[in-house]
Amino acid sequence: MSPRLSFYVHIPYCIKRCGYCDFNTYTPSELQGPDLPSVSQNYIDSVIREISIAKQTVGEASVPTIFFGGGTPSLMPASELARVIASIRSNFDLAGDAEITIEVNPDSVTPGFLEEMRNAGATRISMGMQSAVPHVLATLDRTHNPENVVRAVDLARHSGYENISVDLIYGVPGETLEDWKVSVEASLSLPINHVSAYSLIVEKGTKLASQVSRGEVIIPPDEETAEKYLFADQRFNEAGFEWYELSNWSKPGGECRHNIAYWDGSFWWGLGPGAHSHIDQKRFWNVKHPNAYKERVFAGESPIKDSEVLNDEQKKSEYI
């Protein structure tokens, strides 16, 4: 029986870096390019080459989930992302009921993008909402207007996506409990069946970390952040969303199967720079920079930077 192999597809590009973000993503200026099409040229070709490496490594496998994350996948042409799905389908046994998730930004997503991805097999949309309060979005350096979230979710629903998720962040400097309540209620007013709520973590090296160190913004006390979590959990449950995994709540049947695969010991392959994979108790990860990644793949070399084999103690700890 062939193994089940989920795919994460990393799209390492953003138009602007948010102040709190330490993800492995790059703006055109950070890559010394004039615009996104220039810096992302041939990127999908390199990802498709890595799919061939996965095929040579794993052999036959059934694919239950694909997740396009980033970065901002919705900045890429839908036709390019569709090529990735087609390549996975041609190399592996893509399940008929496969969950295929696309992360989108409310500002950059269009009806054409959503419809083309739906036709390519996408089944689930994950949208970066973060907050419904303008001054909180400003602190996070998010560029979207809160009204764009409503528009984008409606577009996704009208494009035929039954599974739609929004991401929220709480514990932002300057965010009051009342601000957080506004965001939670705004998310629950949307036609969604999944919500993720993450406590803000100030990562070293980010713009936000510099602002905190200079005293320009103050991180709320832990007690207040805990109160925000408890409020969200209560309201999500009252609205029919059940907590099922760390920072995620869903209505019945709306759970993100790709998220679950990370936690239940399944195999997954991360495509793209900095992406991590897990095959048969071995974890490995790719070189981080997109240019280094493309150079290696186009030279016929493995993009893998390093690996580790999980010992019994690690397996027990991660199982818990």
Side-chain angles (χ1 to χ4, degrees):
M1 183 176 177
S2 60
R4 289 159 56 87
L5 179 68
S6 290
F7 277 94
Y8 170 78
V9 187
H10 188 54
I11 305 298
Y13 306 112
C14 286
I15 293 299
K16 178 179 183 290
R17 180 175 293 279
C18 298
Y20 65 92
C21 176
D22 76 332
F23 296 156
N24 190 41
T25 184
Y26 303 82
T27 65
S29 62
E30 289 172 344
L31 294 172
Q32 287 78 51
D35 52 31
L36 185 70
S38 298
V39 299
S40 64
Q41 186 177 20
N42 298 329
Y43 177 67
I44 295 301
D45 291 333
S46 65
V47 168
I48 287 173
R49 291 201 180 197
E50 191 183 354
I51 292 171
S52 297
I53 295 173
K55 174 68 173 182
Q56 295 165 10
T57 304
V58 179
E60 298 297 321
S62 61
V63 178
T65 69
I66 303 172
F67 193 106
F68 289 85
T72 312
S74 53
L75 289 174
M76 298 290 286
S79 58
E80 289 289 274
L81 302 186
R83 289 175 59 210
V84 176
I85 298 173
S87 179
I88 292 173
R89 182 180 282 114
S90 65
N91 280 280
F92 299 94
D93 177 21
L94 183 61
D97 65 344
E99 174 194 87
I100 302 179
T101 303
I102 316 290
E103 284 188 346
V104 304
N105 182 294
D107 280 350
S108 61
V109 71
T110 65
F113 176 91
L114 291 167
E115 289 169 15
E116 193 169 347
M117 291 311 305
R118 188 79 185 92
N119 292 335
T123 63
R124 187 173 179 276
I125 292 295
S126 178
M127 192 169 302
M129 177 180 177
Q130 318 313 356
S131 174
V133 179
H135 78 83
V136 176
L137 290 171
T139 300
L140 292 170
D141 269 344
R142 298 290 292 188
T143 58
H144 71 261
N145 185 312
E147 283 74 30
N148 282 351
V149 175
V150 179
R151 177 194 67 86
V153 169
D154 285 341
L155 283 177
R157 182 63 67 192
H158 290 138
S159 297
Y161 292 90
E162 295 182 2
N163 296 305
I164 303 174
S165 176
V166 296
D167 289 354
L168 297 173
I169 295 178
Y170 59 96
V172 177
E175 178 194 60
T176 66
L177 180 58
E178 289 308 311
D179 289 334
W180 174 239
K181 289 180 178 180
V182 168
S183 295
V184 169
E185 298 302 337
S187 72
L188 292 176
S189 72
L190 299 169
I192 61 173
N193 64 347
H194 188 283
V195 61
S196 300
Y198 302 102
S199 174
L200 178 68
I201 298 174
V202 180
E203 301 287 0
K204 291 181 180 178
T206 61
K207 176 184 173 182
L208 182 61
S210 297
Q211 291 173 313
V212 171
S213 67
R214 292 193 299 264
E216 295 174 9
V217 296
I218 306 299
I219 296 296
D222 289 347
E223 293 79 3
E224 181 183 305
T225 301
E227 190 174 352
K228 289 174 181 175
Y229 171 86
L230 292 172
F231 172 79
D233 184 54
Q234 177 185 338
R235 284 297 294 122
F236 294 153
N237 276 278
E238 290 171 353
F241 292 76
E242 294 184 1
W243 178 80
Y244 76 97
E245 183 258 312
L246 285 185
S247 303
N248 295 301
W249 293 256
S250 78
K251 290 184 176 179
E255 297 86 356
C256 179
R257 288 158 50 199
H258 190 85
N259 280 358
I260 294 170
Y262 289 141
W263 293 103
D264 69 3
S266 294
F267 295 174
W268 76 84
W269 192 290
L271 300 165
H276 286 232
S277 305
H278 170 251
I279 307 291
D280 197 21
Q281 307 304 326
K282 181 179 181 180
R283 260 203 299 261
F284 49 94
W285 47 95
N286 290 342
V287 292
K288 288 189 70 173
H289 199 280
N291 293 345
Y293 169 81
K294 287 194 284 187
E295 286 171 8
R296 284 205 186 188
V297 172
F298 286 133
E301 301 171 2
S302 170
I304 296 172
K305 180 182 181 181
D306 209 346
S307 65
E308 65 177 353
V309 176
L310 300 177
N311 60 37
D312 287 342
E313 286 304 310
Q314 287 174 308
K315 293 177 194 174
K316 290 175 185 176
S317 176
E318 294 199 3
Y319 179 78
I320 292 170

